[in-house]
Amino acid sequence: MNGHSTPDTFLPSREAADKSITQNGFRITTRKLPILKAEPIERMSAELGIALPEMIFGDNLISLEHLRSGWKIEFNALHALSRVDKTGNSMLQVAHSKEWQSSREKKHEGITEVVKPFDWSYSTDYKGTEHSNSTVLEPSKTSIPLELLKRPDPIIFFDEVMLYEDEMADNGITALSCKLRVMPARLLLLCRFFMRLDGVMVRIRDTRVYIDFASVEVIREYTAREDKYEVVRQKLAMQGRDAPAQLRDPNNIVELLPIVGRTLERVVLK
């Protein structure tokens, strides 16, 4: 030992960073580690074929596993980014996109060959990665029972996990994060994609996974909302609210955005 150590010395392994509980036959795990370093970023970028967001938490995850059946759903950055459009057809056509791509080519010097047209807002319709030996989520008309979630039940486990974030060349924000709360009889996971491109668009895509422990019922609800930036700004102004401040937090504006897509799925595990 020479008395000098690298920052890596103090970074926990993936497994050591896991927080896990088992509740009514479900293993619930979250993992939060620092943003990826250069080498893993280059590997992931090459695998996906796109430049990565400014802040990429490639080791982070949330997973919900039913131990008896082996059914599992997991949320991670790699699979979320694999759902980003790579044809360029969904790219938001604004002047800043070229500026953004130029900055990425400088930042990731040496792997510029992977920087090609794609949706630079990193918009994803990711609903989680499902693993199962047999039973899987199927289309349903059963909604999440909101009245049960409004009960003042004690929260026995709570965590928030960031998967990626980018400030879009200082022209807004795009981020994907997950939030989980576990109560004695049920749990709710929210994975939210939030994108605000100033002067252009506001977009929120929410995936909720609800599990009832007694019935072993899983419901997944996906809701996509979006509207033009100016329309949202005007709605906030008409309500006498400070638009620039309100637009920083998706919780403040989610109900102002019209729903443009919604799916429901359900499975009862054995």
Side-chain angles (χ1 to χ4, degrees), residues 200-258:
V200 180
M201 182 179 286
V202 181
R203 176 179 287 158
I204 295 175
R205 294 174 176 174
D206 286 341
T207 298
R208 288 177 170 85
V209 177
Y210 169 85
I211 297 178
D212 184 283
F213 295 134
S215 64
V216 206
E217 178 186 39
V218 181
I219 300 172
R220 178 167 64 181
E221 177 184 286
Y222 171 78
T223 307
R225 300 171 180 262
E226 64 181 59
D227 211 342
K228 293 180 179 178
Y229 180 94
E230 184 59 24
V231 172
V232 181
R233 191 196 66 77
Q234 289 178 1
K235 287 180 180 178
L236 289 166
M238 289 175 64
Q239 295 177 0
R241 297 159 68 186
D242 180 1
Q246 297 291 310
L247 280 160
R248 294 191 189 101
D249 186 345
N251 293 318
N252 296 331
I253 56 174
V254 62
E255 296 302 328
L256 298 180
L257 302 179

Side-chain angles (χ1 to χ4, degrees), residues 85-198:
D85 175 59
K86 298 167 187 68
T87 66
N89 295 334
S90 300
M91 185 184 293
L92 295 167
Q93 297 297 333
V94 293
H96 302 299
S97 63
K98 290 183 179 178
E99 171 191 333
W100 178 93
Q101 184 160 325
S102 175
S103 72
R104 277 304 184 277
E105 289 176 351
K106 293 173 184 174
K107 183 173 181 180
H108 297 299
E109 187 176 359
I111 56 165
T112 53
E113 68 274 6
V114 305
V115 181
K116 47 193 167 187
F118 70 95
D119 179 8
W120 71 302
S121 74
Y122 296 105
S123 293
T124 181
D125 60 357
Y126 183 55
K127 304 176 183 69
T129 306
E130 186 179 11
H131 306 270
S132 177
N133 297 323
S134 55
T135 312
V136 295
L137 288 158
E138 295 181 347
S140 170
K141 294 184 179 179
T142 303
S143 297
I144 292 174
L146 297 178
E147 67 281 358
L148 294 179
L149 293 168
K150 292 176 182 177
R151 293 180 178 180
D153 295 331
I155 296 175
I156 58 178
F157 185 82
F158 175 85
D159 211 349
E160 293 183 81
V161 176
M162 177 64 70
L163 297 181
Y164 64 79
E165 183 175 340
D166 193 288
E167 293 185 350
M168 305 174 76
D170 295 324
N171 291 291
I173 185 74
T174 183
L176 182 68
S177 61
C178 299
K179 186 181 296 187
L180 171 72
R181 60 184 170 112
V182 183
M183 289 75 73
R186 58 193 61 87
L187 71 75
L188 181 69
L189 181 152
L190 168 63
C191 186
R192 169 168 284 175
F193 171 78
F194 171 51
M195 187 276 290
R196 186 199 76 240
L197 182 55
D198 296 337

Side-chain angles (χ1 to χ4, degrees), residues 19-90:
K19 289 171 57 180
S20 184
I21 66 165
T22 300
Q23 179 75 6
N24 295 81
F26 282 87
R27 182 186 292 125
I28 301 151
T29 305
T30 64
R31 181 191 299 153
K32 292 192 286 190
L33 284 167
I35 59 174
L36 290 183
K37 294 184 178 295
E39 190 175 333
I41 285 176
E42 290 186 14
R43 286 198 302 267
M44 185 182 287
S45 186
E47 180 177 348
L48 291 169
I50 60 175
L52 300 184
E54 289 172 321
M55 291 188 287
I56 175 75
F57 298 87
D59 293 322
N60 288 5
L61 64 79
I62 287 187
S63 76
L64 312 173
E65 180 181 6
H66 184 238
L67 298 174
R68 188 167 68 242
S69 67
W71 180 91
K72 177 180 177 181
I73 190 165
E74 177 182 319
F75 291 80
N76 64 70
L78 176 65
H79 292 166
L81 289 169
S82 73
R83 301 290 303 172
V84 171
D85 175 59
K86 298 167 187 68
T87 66
N89 295 334
S90 300

